[in-house]
């Protein structure tokens, strides 16, 4: 169901993982257009605003959508229509004004099950447990596709998946085929719990859907450490064949850029965004206790990668992963709000200088003391 979000919202060949980042590309540059911090702890219609894990912009309608990773614990599972402008000039004006009321006012759509009911809270959801992640609008079907992270532990197995839902009523339409290697199996194989489906994008021609897993599958090897990276997977699914799985490539995660005194930290793929049919932007978001966040954006090229679609476990196997080139380390932007837990990115409208805009949203973890950050950049060279 679509509900208005008023400004009142604001009153309430490789078998060895990489250990160092790839070399930066010098031809691409970034300039901050503006930042908007949306205060934590604000509510609309009884639901807490926050936990944004994905964002998308529909050029045809000028609609911005951001999905919350709320598993119906702070309100119904949902996504928002944001108000960030339909031209590059409007976007720049809004984010430069730093006005949360201007940017957040829009609409809210509840994600619904096939019977039209809301997903239940995590504690009682069982097989209906949801943890929404990335979101993309599909102009072909006029629906939204969104990633459900999945659950995989000894108590509960819920497969990660990309689901299609109505863009205005939120009712589920279908679910894409889940790669066998990623299926949850009591924590023994498949996604790591808390590191499941994290990103989704359409190739520019709309004929290919591409999804990411946040971290390495259980059977693919350990998580990154301070001295060694790890491999996760990127999956391509063809619309021409009912979104059958066309290929799957290994993606090399960086070693941990942040660790505490005991070497603890995480580094995960948080989203993916297409450039063309073989090139993508992939965002890695890392954190460590007491160390804040590290966010890096890479250009990924899959043209020379070998498919691992039919490889059950990567550990000990020989394959050619995708190549990646570092485009942006957010620590170099000197952001007013600092480097936040950025979890979603999308292309925005073309700017007046002909450059592309790139917009990020952060996940504040529903912490009332932590703002949700909306960041817009001018990208030159892509």
């Amino acid at each position: 169901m679509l509900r208005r979000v008023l400004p009142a919202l604001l009153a309430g060949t490789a078998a060895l993982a990489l250990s160092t980042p790839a070399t930066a590309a010098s031809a691409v540059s970034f300039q901050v257009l503006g930042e908007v911090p949306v205060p934590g702890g604000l509510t609309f219609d009884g639901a807490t605003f926050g936990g944004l894990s994905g964002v998308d912009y529909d050029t045809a309608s000028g609609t911005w959508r951001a999905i919350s990773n709320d598993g119906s614990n702070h309100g119904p599972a949902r996504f928002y229509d944001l108000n960030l402008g339909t031209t590059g000039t409007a976007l720049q004006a809004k984010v430069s004004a730093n006005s949360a009321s201007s940017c957040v006012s829009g609409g809210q759509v509840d994600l619904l099950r096939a019977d039209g009911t809301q997903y239940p809270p995590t504690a009682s959801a069982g097989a209906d447990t949801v943890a929404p992640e990335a979101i993309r609008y599909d102009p072909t079907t006029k629906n939204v596709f969104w990633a459900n992270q999945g659950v995989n532990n000894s108590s509960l197995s819920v497969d990660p998946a990309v689901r299609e839902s109505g863009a205005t009523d939120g009712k589920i339409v279908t679910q894409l085929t889940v790669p066998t290697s990623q299926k949850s199996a009591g924590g023994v194989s498949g996604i790591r719990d808390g590191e499941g489906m994290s990103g989704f994008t359409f190739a520019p021609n709309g004929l290919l859907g591409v999804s990411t897993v946040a971290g390495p599958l259980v059977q693919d090897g350990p998580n990154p450490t301070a001295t060694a990276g790890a491999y996760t997977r990127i999956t391509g699914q063809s619309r021409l064949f009912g979104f059958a799985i066309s290929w799957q490539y290994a993606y090399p995660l960086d070693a941990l850029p942040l660790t505490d005194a005991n070497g603890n930290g995480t580094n995960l793929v948080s989203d993916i965004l297409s450039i063309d049919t073989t090139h993508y932007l992939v965002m890695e978001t890392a954190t460590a206790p007491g160390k804040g966040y590290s966010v890096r954006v890479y250009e990924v090229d899959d043209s020379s990668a070998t498919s691992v679609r039919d490889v059950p476990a990567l550990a000990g196997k020989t394959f050619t992963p995708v190549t990646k080139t570092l485009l942006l380390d957010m620590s170099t932007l000197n952001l007013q709000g600092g480097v936040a837990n950025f979890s979603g990115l999308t292309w925005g409208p073309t700017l007046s200088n002909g450059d592309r805009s790139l917009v990020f949203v952060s996940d504040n973890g529903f912490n009332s003391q932590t703002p949700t950050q909306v960041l817009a950049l001018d990208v030159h060279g892509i």
Side-chain angles (χ1 to χ4, degrees), residues 217-298:
L217 303 180
V218 174
Q219 69 272 22
D220 284 347
N223 274 316
T225 66
T227 57
Y231 286 107
T232 184
R233 302 194 188 203
I234 300 176
T235 303
Q237 298 183 242
S238 172
R239 186 193 297 273
L240 294 178
F241 300 97
F243 285 107
I245 299 170
S246 297
W247 49 258
Q248 194 173 72
Y249 300 130
Y251 174 86
L253 275 164
D254 285 348
L256 299 178
L258 299 173
T259 60
D260 65 10
N262 297 315
N264 297 315
T266 61
N267 186 40
L268 302 170
V269 170
S270 46
D271 208 353
I272 186 170
L273 181 64
S274 67
I275 300 174
D276 56 40
T277 54
T278 59
H279 295 82
Y280 304 88
L281 297 182
V282 171
M283 179 165 59
E284 296 185 25
T285 303
T287 188
K291 300 294 184 177
Y293 295 95
S294 167
V295 177
R296 292 167 171 165
V297 178
Y298 291 90

Side-chain angles (χ1 to χ4, degrees), residues 54 64 66 78 89 96 130 150 152 163 192 222:
W64 297 84
R78 59 199 177 278
T89 302
S96 297
V130 291
N152 193 20
R163 294 175 177 174
R192 275 185 163 82

